Every structure is written in C-alpha cells, then in structure tokens.
PDB file of all heavy atoms in Angstrom:
ATOM      1  N   GLU A 261       0.781  -1.255   0.004  1.00  0.00           N
ATOM      2  CA  GLU A 261      -0.007  -0.013  -0.009  1.00  0.00           C
ATOM      3  C   GLU A 261       0.803   1.300  -0.002  1.00  0.00           C
ATOM      4  O   GLU A 261       0.300   2.323  -0.356  1.00  0.00           O
ATOM      5  CB  GLU A 261      -0.991   0.081   1.163  1.00  0.00           C
ATOM      6  CG  GLU A 261      -1.872  -1.154   1.345  1.00  0.00           C
ATOM      7  CD  GLU A 261      -2.792  -1.442   0.160  1.00  0.00           C
ATOM      8  OE1 GLU A 261      -3.101  -0.527  -0.623  1.00  0.00           O
ATOM      9  OE2 GLU A 261      -3.219  -2.584   0.019  1.00  0.00           O
ATOM     10  N   TYR A 262       2.064   1.336   0.441  1.00  0.00           N
ATOM     11  CA  TYR A 262       2.822   2.583   0.532  1.00  0.00           C
ATOM     12  C   TYR A 262       4.289   2.276   0.363  1.00  0.00           C
ATOM     13  O   TYR A 262       4.718   1.149   0.493  1.00  0.00           O
ATOM     14  CB  TYR A 262       2.564   3.269   1.872  1.00  0.00           C
ATOM     15  CG  TYR A 262       3.054   2.469   3.054  1.00  0.00           C
ATOM     16  CD1 TYR A 262       4.326   2.664   3.568  1.00  0.00           C
ATOM     17  CD2 TYR A 262       2.284   1.478   3.648  1.00  0.00           C
ATOM     18  CE1 TYR A 262       4.802   1.900   4.631  1.00  0.00           C
ATOM     19  CE2 TYR A 262       2.739   0.743   4.707  1.00  0.00           C
ATOM     20  CZ  TYR A 262       3.992   0.938   5.205  1.00  0.00           C
ATOM     21  OH  TYR A 262       4.445   0.193   6.230  1.00  0.00           O
ATOM     22  N   ASN A 263       5.063   3.339   0.091  1.00  0.00           N
ATOM     23  CA  ASN A 263       6.509   3.187   0.013  1.00  0.00           C
ATOM     24  C   ASN A 263       7.141   3.521   1.380  1.00  0.00           C
ATOM     25  O   ASN A 263       6.541   4.259   2.168  1.00  0.00           O
ATOM     26  CB  ASN A 263       7.120   4.153  -1.018  1.00  0.00           C
ATOM     27  CG  ASN A 263       6.939   3.653  -2.429  1.00  0.00           C
ATOM     28  OD1 ASN A 263       6.049   4.159  -3.144  1.00  0.00           O
ATOM     29  ND2 ASN A 263       7.742   2.716  -2.857  1.00  0.00           N
ATOM     30  N   GLY A 264       8.313   2.983   1.619  1.00  0.00           N
ATOM     31  CA  GLY A 264       9.048   3.330   2.810  1.00  0.00           C
ATOM     32  C   GLY A 264       9.746   4.683   2.656  1.00  0.00           C
ATOM     33  O   GLY A 264       9.577   5.361   1.645  1.00  0.00           O
ATOM     34  N   THR A 265      10.570   5.034   3.645  1.00  0.00           N
ATOM     35  CA  THR A 265      11.261   6.314   3.571  1.00  0.00           C
ATOM     36  C   THR A 265      12.504   6.281   2.726  1.00  0.00           C
ATOM     37  O   THR A 265      13.003   7.331   2.318  1.00  0.00           O
ATOM     38  CB  THR A 265      11.630   6.790   5.019  1.00  0.00           C
ATOM     39  OG1 THR A 265      12.456   5.781   5.609  1.00  0.00           O
ATOM     40  CG2 THR A 265      10.401   7.039   5.872  1.00  0.00           C
ATOM     41  N   GLU A 266      13.030   5.084   2.440  1.00  0.00           N
ATOM     42  CA  GLU A 266      14.194   4.933   1.583  1.00  0.00           C
ATOM     43  C   GLU A 266      13.788   4.169   0.305  1.00  0.00           C
ATOM     44  O   GLU A 266      12.616   4.047   0.023  1.00  0.00           O
ATOM     45  CB  GLU A 266      15.289   4.172   2.349  1.00  0.00           C
ATOM     46  CG  GLU A 266      15.841   4.915   3.526  1.00  0.00           C
ATOM     47  CD  GLU A 266      16.517   6.256   3.117  1.00  0.00           C
ATOM     48  OE1 GLU A 266      17.211   6.281   2.096  1.00  0.00           O
ATOM     49  OE2 GLU A 266      16.305   7.241   3.843  1.00  0.00           O
ATOM     50  N   ASN A 267      14.748   3.666  -0.438  1.00  0.00           N
ATOM     51  CA  ASN A 267      14.449   2.910  -1.646  1.00  0.00           C
ATOM     52  C   ASN A 267      13.437   1.795  -1.315  1.00  0.00           C
ATOM     53  O   ASN A 267      13.659   1.060  -0.339  1.00  0.00           O
ATOM     54  CB  ASN A 267      15.725   2.264  -2.219  1.00  0.00           C
ATOM     55  CG  ASN A 267      16.676   3.262  -2.795  1.00  0.00           C
ATOM     56  OD1 ASN A 267      16.361   4.420  -3.035  1.00  0.00           O
ATOM     57  ND2 ASN A 267      17.897   2.822  -3.021  1.00  0.00           N
ATOM     58  N   SER A 268      12.369   1.719  -2.081  1.00  0.00           N
ATOM     59  CA  SER A 268      11.333   0.714  -1.778  1.00  0.00           C
ATOM     60  C   SER A 268      10.406   0.492  -2.921  1.00  0.00           C
ATOM     61  O   SER A 268      10.293   1.333  -3.823  1.00  0.00           O
ATOM     62  CB  SER A 268      10.542   1.145  -0.511  1.00  0.00           C
ATOM     63  OG  SER A 268       9.881   2.383  -0.745  1.00  0.00           O
ATOM     64  N   PHE A 269       9.713  -0.647  -2.838  1.00  0.00           N
ATOM     65  CA  PHE A 269       8.579  -0.925  -3.722  1.00  0.00           C
ATOM     66  C   PHE A 269       7.334  -0.830  -2.906  1.00  0.00           C
ATOM     67  O   PHE A 269       7.319  -1.139  -1.695  1.00  0.00           O
ATOM     68  CB  PHE A 269       8.676  -2.386  -4.244  1.00  0.00           C
ATOM     69  CG  PHE A 269       9.740  -2.608  -5.277  1.00  0.00           C
ATOM     70  CD1 PHE A 269      10.833  -3.367  -4.968  1.00  0.00           C
ATOM     71  CD2 PHE A 269       9.611  -2.073  -6.553  1.00  0.00           C
ATOM     72  CE1 PHE A 269      11.806  -3.631  -5.910  1.00  0.00           C
ATOM     73  CE2 PHE A 269      10.596  -2.314  -7.497  1.00  0.00           C
ATOM     74  CZ  PHE A 269      11.687  -3.069  -7.179  1.00  0.00           C
ATOM     75  N   SER A 270       6.220  -0.472  -3.566  1.00  0.00           N
ATOM     76  CA  SER A 270       4.898  -0.564  -2.934  1.00  0.00           C
ATOM     77  C   SER A 270       3.968  -1.312  -3.915  1.00  0.00           C
ATOM     78  O   SER A 270       3.977  -1.063  -5.122  1.00  0.00           O
ATOM     79  CB  SER A 270       4.323   0.796  -2.561  1.00  0.00           C
ATOM     80  OG  SER A 270       4.172   1.612  -3.678  1.00  0.00           O
ATOM     81  N   LEU A 271       3.217  -2.211  -3.358  1.00  0.00           N
ATOM     82  CA  LEU A 271       2.259  -3.030  -4.106  1.00  0.00           C
ATOM     83  C   LEU A 271       0.855  -2.670  -3.633  1.00  0.00           C
ATOM     84  O   LEU A 271       0.618  -2.680  -2.426  1.00  0.00           O
ATOM     85  CB  LEU A 271       2.553  -4.510  -3.885  1.00  0.00           C
ATOM     86  CG  LEU A 271       1.561  -5.500  -4.504  1.00  0.00           C
ATOM     87  CD1 LEU A 271       1.624  -5.458  -6.038  1.00  0.00           C
ATOM     88  CD2 LEU A 271       1.846  -6.919  -4.003  1.00  0.00           C
ATOM     89  N   TYR A 272      -0.042  -2.410  -4.571  1.00  0.00           N
ATOM     90  CA  TYR A 272      -1.386  -2.056  -4.201  1.00  0.00           C
ATOM     91  C   TYR A 272      -2.358  -2.411  -5.313  1.00  0.00           C
ATOM     92  O   TYR A 272      -1.982  -2.496  -6.469  1.00  0.00           O
ATOM     93  CB  TYR A 272      -1.506  -0.582  -3.803  1.00  0.00           C
ATOM     94  CG  TYR A 272      -0.815   0.376  -4.726  1.00  0.00           C
ATOM     95  CD1 TYR A 272      -1.423   0.917  -5.839  1.00  0.00           C
ATOM     96  CD2 TYR A 272       0.529   0.697  -4.510  1.00  0.00           C
ATOM     97  CE1 TYR A 272      -0.780   1.761  -6.718  1.00  0.00           C
ATOM     98  CE2 TYR A 272       1.208   1.586  -5.369  1.00  0.00           C
ATOM     99  CZ  TYR A 272       0.520   2.102  -6.446  1.00  0.00           C
ATOM    100  OH  TYR A 272       1.203   2.956  -7.317  1.00  0.00           O
ATOM    101  N   SER A 273      -3.612  -2.574  -4.936  1.00  0.00           N
ATOM    102  CA  SER A 273      -4.661  -2.876  -5.916  1.00  0.00           C
ATOM    103  C   SER A 273      -5.172  -1.565  -6.507  1.00  0.00           C
ATOM    104  O   SER A 273      -5.110  -0.500  -5.887  1.00  0.00           O
ATOM    105  CB  SER A 273      -5.803  -3.651  -5.260  1.00  0.00           C
ATOM    106  OG  SER A 273      -6.389  -2.910  -4.246  1.00  0.00           O
ATOM    107  N   LEU A 274      -5.704  -1.679  -7.718  1.00  0.00           N
ATOM    108  CA  LEU A 274      -6.272  -0.538  -8.417  1.00  0.00           C
ATOM    109  C   LEU A 274      -7.745  -0.781  -8.706  1.00  0.00           C
ATOM    110  O   LEU A 274      -8.173  -1.940  -8.712  1.00  0.00           O
ATOM    111  CB  LEU A 274      -5.556  -0.323  -9.774  1.00  0.00           C
ATOM    112  CG  LEU A 274      -4.061   0.031  -9.720  1.00  0.00           C
ATOM    113  CD1 LEU A 274      -3.512   0.038 -11.137  1.00  0.00           C
ATOM    114  CD2 LEU A 274      -3.894   1.385  -9.075  1.00  0.00           C
ATOM    115  N   VAL A 275      -8.458   0.272  -8.944  1.00  0.00           N
ATOM    116  CA  VAL A 275      -9.849   0.149  -9.327  1.00  0.00           C
ATOM    117  C   VAL A 275      -9.974  -0.530 -10.688  1.00  0.00           C
ATOM    118  O   VAL A 275      -9.002  -0.573 -11.441  1.00  0.00           O
ATOM    119  CB  VAL A 275     -10.595   1.517  -9.355  1.00  0.00           C
ATOM    120  CG1 VAL A 275     -10.520   2.161  -8.008  1.00  0.00           C
ATOM    121  CG2 VAL A 275     -10.004   2.402 -10.420  1.00  0.00           C
ATOM    122  N   GLY A 276     -11.124  -1.008 -10.998  1.00  0.00           N
ATOM    123  CA  GLY A 276     -11.383  -1.564 -12.336  1.00  0.00           C
ATOM    124  C   GLY A 276     -11.374  -3.058 -12.439  1.00  0.00           C
ATOM    125  O   GLY A 276     -11.511  -3.612 -13.505  1.00  0.00           O
ATOM    126  N   GLY A 277     -11.172  -3.756 -11.297  1.00  0.00           N
ATOM    127  CA  GLY A 277     -11.262  -5.217 -11.330  1.00  0.00           C
ATOM    128  C   GLY A 277     -12.676  -5.593 -11.756  1.00  0.00           C
ATOM    129  O   GLY A 277     -13.632  -4.856 -11.588  1.00  0.00           O
ATOM    130  N   ARG A 278     -12.797  -6.785 -12.355  1.00  0.00           N
ATOM    131  CA  ARG A 278     -14.110  -7.150 -12.839  1.00  0.00           C
ATOM    132  C   ARG A 278     -14.277  -8.681 -12.837  1.00  0.00           C
ATOM    133  O   ARG A 278     -13.300  -9.424 -12.880  1.00  0.00           O
ATOM    134  CB  ARG A 278     -14.350  -6.624 -14.233  1.00  0.00           C
ATOM    135  CG  ARG A 278     -13.449  -7.252 -15.285  1.00  0.00           C
ATOM    136  CD  ARG A 278     -13.583  -6.540 -16.627  1.00  0.00           C
ATOM    137  NE  ARG A 278     -12.816  -7.245 -17.660  1.00  0.00           N
ATOM    138  CZ  ARG A 278     -13.358  -8.019 -18.568  1.00  0.00           C
ATOM    139  NH1 ARG A 278     -14.640  -8.220 -18.623  1.00  0.00           N
ATOM    140  NH2 ARG A 278     -12.578  -8.637 -19.453  1.00  0.00           N
ATOM    141  N   THR A 279     -15.536  -9.080 -12.837  1.00  0.00           N
ATOM    142  CA  THR A 279     -15.865 -10.502 -12.999  1.00  0.00           C
ATOM    143  C   THR A 279     -15.964 -10.759 -14.494  1.00  0.00           C
ATOM    144  O   THR A 279     -16.751 -10.098 -15.193  1.00  0.00           O
ATOM    145  CB  THR A 279     -17.181 -10.835 -12.278  1.00  0.00           C
ATOM    146  OG1 THR A 279     -17.015 -10.601 -10.874  1.00  0.00           O
ATOM    147  CG2 THR A 279     -17.564 -12.274 -12.508  1.00  0.00           C
ATOM    148  N   VAL A 280     -15.204 -11.728 -14.971  1.00  0.00           N
ATOM    149  CA  VAL A 280     -15.180 -12.038 -16.403  1.00  0.00           C
ATOM    150  C   VAL A 280     -16.291 -13.041 -16.687  1.00  0.00           C
ATOM    151  O   VAL A 280     -16.989 -12.921 -17.700  1.00  0.00           O
ATOM    152  CB  VAL A 280     -13.819 -12.647 -16.802  1.00  0.00           C
ATOM    153  CG1 VAL A 280     -13.790 -13.084 -18.260  1.00  0.00           C
ATOM    154  CG2 VAL A 280     -12.741 -11.632 -16.503  1.00  0.00           C
ATOM    155  N   ARG A 281     -16.390 -14.054 -15.831  1.00  0.00           N
ATOM    156  CA  ARG A 281     -17.434 -15.098 -15.976  1.00  0.00           C
ATOM    157  C   ARG A 281     -17.892 -15.548 -14.617  1.00  0.00           C
ATOM    158  O   ARG A 281     -17.137 -15.511 -13.648  1.00  0.00           O
ATOM    159  CB  ARG A 281     -16.828 -16.318 -16.665  1.00  0.00           C
ATOM    160  CG  ARG A 281     -16.690 -16.260 -18.152  1.00  0.00           C
ATOM    161  CD  ARG A 281     -16.312 -17.578 -18.700  1.00  0.00           C
ATOM    162  NE  ARG A 281     -14.851 -17.762 -18.501  1.00  0.00           N
ATOM    163  CZ  ARG A 281     -14.165 -18.726 -19.060  1.00  0.00           C
ATOM    164  NH1 ARG A 281     -14.744 -19.649 -19.773  1.00  0.00           N
ATOM    165  NH2 ARG A 281     -12.850 -18.813 -18.860  1.00  0.00           N
ATOM    166  N   GLU A 282     -19.113 -16.005 -14.595  1.00  0.00           N
ATOM    167  CA  GLU A 282     -19.657 -16.623 -13.378  1.00  0.00           C
ATOM    168  C   GLU A 282     -20.210 -18.008 -13.776  1.00  0.00           C
ATOM    169  O   GLU A 282     -20.931 -18.128 -14.751  1.00  0.00           O
ATOM    170  CB  GLU A 282     -20.767 -15.773 -12.748  1.00  0.00           C
ATOM    171  CG  GLU A 282     -21.155 -16.319 -11.428  1.00  0.00           C
ATOM    172  CD  GLU A 282     -22.022 -15.308 -10.621  1.00  0.00           C
ATOM    173  OE1 GLU A 282     -22.130 -14.144 -11.020  1.00  0.00           O
ATOM    174  OE2 GLU A 282     -22.578 -15.761  -9.598  1.00  0.00           O
ATOM    175  N   PHE A 283     -19.777 -19.015 -13.032  1.00  0.00           N
ATOM    176  CA  PHE A 283     -20.127 -20.363 -13.354  1.00  0.00           C
ATOM    177  C   PHE A 283     -21.360 -20.793 -12.532  1.00  0.00           C
ATOM    178  O   PHE A 283     -21.707 -20.154 -11.531  1.00  0.00           O
ATOM    179  CB  PHE A 283     -18.945 -21.309 -13.075  1.00  0.00           C
ATOM    180  CG  PHE A 283     -17.756 -20.979 -13.910  1.00  0.00           C
ATOM    181  CD1 PHE A 283     -16.752 -20.118 -13.436  1.00  0.00           C
ATOM    182  CD2 PHE A 283     -17.607 -21.486 -15.198  1.00  0.00           C
ATOM    183  CE1 PHE A 283     -15.657 -19.813 -14.200  1.00  0.00           C
ATOM    184  CE2 PHE A 283     -16.512 -21.179 -15.969  1.00  0.00           C
ATOM    185  CZ  PHE A 283     -15.520 -20.334 -15.484  1.00  0.00           C
ATOM    186  N   MET A 284     -22.003 -21.871 -12.934  1.00  0.00           N
ATOM    187  CA  MET A 284     -23.233 -22.320 -12.303  1.00  0.00           C
ATOM    188  C   MET A 284     -23.021 -22.667 -10.831  1.00  0.00           C
ATOM    189  O   MET A 284     -23.962 -22.565 -10.034  1.00  0.00           O
ATOM    190  CB  MET A 284     -23.806 -23.534 -13.061  1.00  0.00           C
ATOM    191  CG  MET A 284     -24.070 -23.198 -14.509  1.00  0.00           C
ATOM    192  SD  MET A 284     -25.661 -23.394 -15.243  1.00  0.00           S
ATOM    193  CE  MET A 284     -26.702 -24.278 -14.260  1.00  0.00           C
ATOM    194  N   ASP A 285     -21.831 -23.106 -10.446  1.00  0.00           N
ATOM    195  CA  ASP A 285     -21.576 -23.441  -9.058  1.00  0.00           C
ATOM    196  C   ASP A 285     -21.262 -22.218  -8.173  1.00  0.00           C
ATOM    197  O   ASP A 285     -20.935 -22.367  -7.014  1.00  0.00           O
ATOM    198  CB  ASP A 285     -20.437 -24.486  -8.948  1.00  0.00           C
ATOM    199  CG  ASP A 285     -19.092 -23.931  -9.380  1.00  0.00           C
ATOM    200  OD1 ASP A 285     -19.000 -22.749  -9.827  1.00  0.00           O
ATOM    201  OD2 ASP A 285     -18.092 -24.667  -9.251  1.00  0.00           O
ATOM    202  N   GLY A 286     -21.315 -21.030  -8.744  1.00  0.00           N
ATOM    203  CA  GLY A 286     -21.049 -19.814  -8.000  1.00  0.00           C
ATOM    204  C   GLY A 286     -19.602 -19.304  -8.096  1.00  0.00           C
ATOM    205  O   GLY A 286     -19.304 -18.193  -7.685  1.00  0.00           O
ATOM    206  N   THR A 287     -18.749 -20.104  -8.678  1.00  0.00           N
ATOM    207  CA  THR A 287     -17.363 -19.684  -8.880  1.00  0.00           C
ATOM    208  C   THR A 287     -17.311 -18.540  -9.880  1.00  0.00           C
ATOM    209  O   THR A 287     -18.049 -18.543 -10.859  1.00  0.00           O
ATOM    210  CB  THR A 287     -16.508 -20.866  -9.409  1.00  0.00           C
ATOM    211  OG1 THR A 287     -16.562 -21.937  -8.472  1.00  0.00           O
ATOM    212  CG2 THR A 287     -15.076 -20.476  -9.631  1.00  0.00           C
ATOM    213  N   LYS A 288     -16.416 -17.573  -9.601  1.00  0.00           N
ATOM    214  CA  LYS A 288     -16.273 -16.436 -10.513  1.00  0.00           C
ATOM    215  C   LYS A 288     -14.844 -16.345 -10.984  1.00  0.00           C
ATOM    216  O   LYS A 288     -13.902 -16.515 -10.206  1.00  0.00           O
ATOM    217  CB  LYS A 288     -16.629 -15.130  -9.777  1.00  0.00           C
ATOM    218  CG  LYS A 288     -18.071 -15.044  -9.352  1.00  0.00           C
ATOM    219  CD  LYS A 288     -18.317 -13.757  -8.614  1.00  0.00           C
ATOM    220  CE  LYS A 288     -19.789 -13.732  -8.165  1.00  0.00           C
ATOM    221  NZ  LYS A 288     -20.082 -12.523  -7.391  1.00  0.00           N
ATOM    222  N   GLU A 289     -14.666 -16.089 -12.270  1.00  0.00           N
ATOM    223  CA  GLU A 289     -13.393 -15.757 -12.832  1.00  0.00           C
ATOM    224  C   GLU A 289     -13.249 -14.232 -12.781  1.00  0.00           C
ATOM    225  O   GLU A 289     -14.099 -13.527 -13.330  1.00  0.00           O
ATOM    226  CB  GLU A 289     -13.236 -16.258 -14.254  1.00  0.00           C
ATOM    227  CG  GLU A 289     -11.851 -15.953 -14.818  1.00  0.00           C
ATOM    228  CD  GLU A 289     -11.669 -16.455 -16.245  1.00  0.00           C
ATOM    229  OE1 GLU A 289     -12.569 -17.169 -16.759  1.00  0.00           O
ATOM    230  OE2 GLU A 289     -10.631 -16.114 -16.820  1.00  0.00           O
ATOM    231  N   LYS A 290     -12.203 -13.756 -12.106  1.00  0.00           N
ATOM    232  CA  LYS A 290     -12.019 -12.310 -11.939  1.00  0.00           C
ATOM    233  C   LYS A 290     -10.698 -11.867 -12.542  1.00  0.00           C
ATOM    234  O   LYS A 290      -9.725 -12.602 -12.480  1.00  0.00           O
ATOM    235  CB  LYS A 290     -12.069 -11.938 -10.459  1.00  0.00           C
ATOM    236  CG  LYS A 290     -13.441 -12.160  -9.817  1.00  0.00           C
ATOM    237  CD  LYS A 290     -13.416 -11.691  -8.372  1.00  0.00           C
ATOM    238  CE  LYS A 290     -14.809 -11.662  -7.818  1.00  0.00           C
ATOM    239  NZ  LYS A 290     -15.320 -10.323  -7.693  1.00  0.00           N
ATOM    240  N   GLU A 291     -10.705 -10.640 -13.010  1.00  0.00           N
ATOM    241  CA  GLU A 291      -9.458  -9.959 -13.394  1.00  0.00           C
ATOM    242  C   GLU A 291      -9.300  -8.816 -12.409  1.00  0.00           C
ATOM    243  O   GLU A 291     -10.147  -7.940 -12.330  1.00  0.00           O
ATOM    244  CB  GLU A 291      -9.542  -9.433 -14.819  1.00  0.00           C
ATOM    245  CG  GLU A 291      -9.571 -10.510 -15.865  1.00  0.00           C
ATOM    246  CD  GLU A 291      -9.665  -9.953 -17.265  1.00  0.00           C
ATOM    247  OE1 GLU A 291     -10.083  -8.768 -17.471  1.00  0.00           O
ATOM    248  OE2 GLU A 291      -9.345 -10.709 -18.200  1.00  0.00           O
TER     249      GLU A 291
END
C-alpha cells in the first residue's frame, strides 16, 4: 500500500477489477 522512507517498492490494488465469468456453481473468474 505505501513506500518506505528509503528505496522501496509498494504493491497495491487498483480500481477496475471485474468479474469475467460466473459459473453455475457460483465460482467467478475475476481480473
């Protein structure tokens, strides 16, 4: 979610995820 005070990576989710398919058993394929 955020960077540190020195050299660092931050990993976070972005808006726009979606359900691609929904199966009869309730399972969803998501991007």
Side-chain angles (χ1 to χ4, degrees):
E261 310 297 338
Y262 63 93
N263 283 103
T265 58
E266 295 298 320
N267 291 345
S268 61
F269 287 111
S270 61
L271 174 67
Y272 44 89
S273 62
L274 296 174
V275 301
R278 67 188 185 104
T279 298
V280 177
R281 280 189 280 191
E282 189 166 349
F283 299 93
M284 303 235 348
D285 67 356
T287 301
K288 294 178 182 177
E289 181 180 353
K290 293 182 169 255
E291 291 180 341

